[in-house]
């Protein structure tokens, strides 16, 4: 497998990205690494959805659509304008169907658990409790109207609980039976499953990753690759880089994912 599509890259329109990460710089780096389609998935919080959060509030749909002003003169790679929406439970996803329709695609995250008080209660710390919350959010999210509004939709960094150091302990509570039930529904709804390095960083492929993605493939899911790059600067762990794409390709090969299983977008 050769990675030629990266569907999860941020530019400096995301508040957490490198201020120097213009679209031109990110596209140049991606092209150099052999990426032919680059999906821009900046963080978003639709201003039609009330929120009391000073970090998210400025990053509304009009803000992330400013990326179009930077696209002139970029011939390659092909640029798709998407977003990374936030699901915080109780039916609240940070993007309405009406504004989703203004994008080429959308990714949705439900495990930004470093955002204590917004995405997760500070009291939820035990691995089983974190796993149970993630599973609940996943099943809720696939039924959300925005995920089913006709705009191509995918999961961002599926079951990568950021802010949790005990990933392996959490994953022990994610059963194969649950994955099978979830991924059958995901496949039925044509929601793409993201392959991300957030589980184990740049380390060896872990059996839990292989188990999860193998079940997803058996259920008929499609997949997309996610560097989750926040900068173009070589050596920065947040950068798009060859090492991330090589690990994605290796994991795909171990699972048996081929071009036929990649999200057609």
């Amino acid at each position: 497998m050769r990675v030629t599509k990266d569907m999860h890259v941020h530019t400096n329109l995301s508040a957490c990205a490198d201020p120097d990460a213009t679209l031109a710089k990110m596209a140049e780096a991606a092209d150099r690494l052999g990426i032919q389609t680059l999906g821009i998935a900046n963080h978003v919080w639709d201003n039609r959805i009330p929120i009391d959060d000073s970090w998210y509030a400025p990053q509304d749909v009009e803000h992330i659509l400013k990326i179009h002003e930077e696209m002139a003169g970029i011939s390659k790679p092909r640029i798709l304008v998407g977003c990374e929406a936030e699901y915080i439970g109780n039916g609240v996803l940070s993007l309405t169907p009406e504004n989703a329709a203004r994008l080429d695609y959308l990714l949705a995250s439900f495990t930004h658990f470093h955002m204590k008080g917004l995405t997760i209660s500070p009291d939820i710390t035990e691995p089983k409790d974190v796993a149970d919350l993630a599973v609940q959010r996943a099943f809720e999210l696939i039924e959300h109207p925005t995920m089913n509004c006709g705009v191509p939709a995918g999961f961002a960094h599926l079951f990568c609980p950021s802010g949790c150091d005990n990933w392996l302990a959490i994953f022990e509570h994610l059963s194969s039976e649950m994955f099978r039930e979830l991924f059958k529904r995901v496949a039925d709804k044509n929601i793409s499953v993201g392959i991300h390095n957030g589980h184990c960083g740049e380390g060896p492929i872990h059996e839990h990753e292989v188990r999860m993605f193998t079940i997803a493939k058996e259920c008929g899911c499609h997949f997309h690759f996610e560097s989750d790059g926040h900068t173009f600067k070589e050596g920065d762990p947040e950068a798009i880089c060859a090492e991330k794409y090589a690990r994605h390709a290796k994991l795909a090969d171990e699972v048996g994912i081929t071009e036929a299983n990649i999200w057609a977008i």
Side-chain angles (χ1 to χ4, degrees):
M1 167 65 69
R2 178 169 171 258
V3 177
T4 60
K5 289 183 178 180
D6 185 348
M7 297 301 295
H8 188 166
V9 169
H10 295 266
T11 73
N12 56 10
L13 291 177
S14 285
C16 54
D18 179 355
D20 296 330
T22 61
L23 177 61
K25 291 290 188 182
M26 298 300 279
E28 180 184 13
D31 181 52
R32 189 169 59 248
L33 294 168
I35 297 300
Q36 298 172 10
T37 297
L38 188 66
I40 305 302
N42 284 312
H43 294 288
V44 68
W45 197 282
D46 196 322
N47 60 15
R48 299 185 183 196
I49 301 168
I51 186 175
D52 183 16
D53 186 272
S54 59
W55 188 82
Y56 253 129
Q59 300 178 90
D60 61 13
V61 176
E62 298 302 329
H63 175 75
I64 68 167
L65 287 177
K66 291 177 182 177
I67 198 72
H68 286 288
E69 300 170 9
E70 302 181 51
M71 291 174 64
I74 297 177
S75 60
K76 60 180 185 175
R78 178 176 71 125
I79 304 295
L80 295 177
V81 178
C83 73
E84 182 176 6
E86 190 80 59
Y87 184 68
I88 63 173
N90 298 313
V92 179
L93 179 64
S94 68
L95 185 66
T96 60
E98 295 79 10
N99 274 324
R102 303 170 69 186
L103 303 169
D104 295 321
Y105 73 103
L106 70 99
L107 300 180
S109 167
F110 59 89
T111 54
H112 279 147
F113 291 159
H114 61 287
M115 305 179 81
K116 308 296 184 186
L118 178 65
T119 60
I120 188 172
S121 168
D123 299 329
I124 299 177
T125 58
E126 291 300 315
K128 184 178 186 307
D129 296 334
V130 174
D132 287 347
L133 179 63
V135 170
Q136 176 185 335
R137 295 272 174 87
F139 278 96
E140 290 174 353
L141 182 55
I142 60 177
E143 303 297 335
H144 194 280
T146 302
M147 299 294 284
N148 297 277
C149 69
V151 177
F155 281 131
H157 42 70
L158 185 64
F159 291 109
C160 296
S162 61
C164 302
D165 296 328
N166 51 353
W167 174 81
L168 289 178
I170 293 168
F171 225 84
E172 293 289 347
H173 296 283
L174 302 174
S175 72
S176 295
E177 292 75 16
M178 180 280 296
F179 281 140
R180 198 164 300 279
E181 180 182 356
L182 175 68
F183 288 133
K184 284 180 180 177
R185 297 191 194 184
V186 169
D188 285 345
K189 291 179 175 292
N190 201 29
I191 296 172
S192 182
V193 174
I195 295 177
H196 189 281
N197 281 346
H199 299 103
C200 299
E202 306 303 325
I205 304 298
H206 198 280
E207 60 181 346
H208 287 318
E209 296 175 282
V210 175
R211 174 171 65 96
M212 178 174 70
F213 291 119
T214 296
I215 294 171
K217 181 176 181 290
E218 290 172 350
C219 290
C221 291
H222 286 93
F223 302 88
H224 61 274
F225 297 109
E226 307 180 89
S227 72
D228 205 356
H230 284 62
T231 184
F232 59 91
K233 295 173 181 174
E234 294 183 16
D236 190 311
E238 296 293 321
I240 55 175
C241 63
E243 290 77 14
K244 289 181 179 179
Y245 297 138
R247 191 179 188 279
H248 291 164
K250 183 178 179 182
L251 177 55
D253 289 342
E254 287 202 27
V255 173
I257 294 170
T258 69
E259 288 294 337
N261 307 117
I262 299 302
W263 197 11
I265 182 173

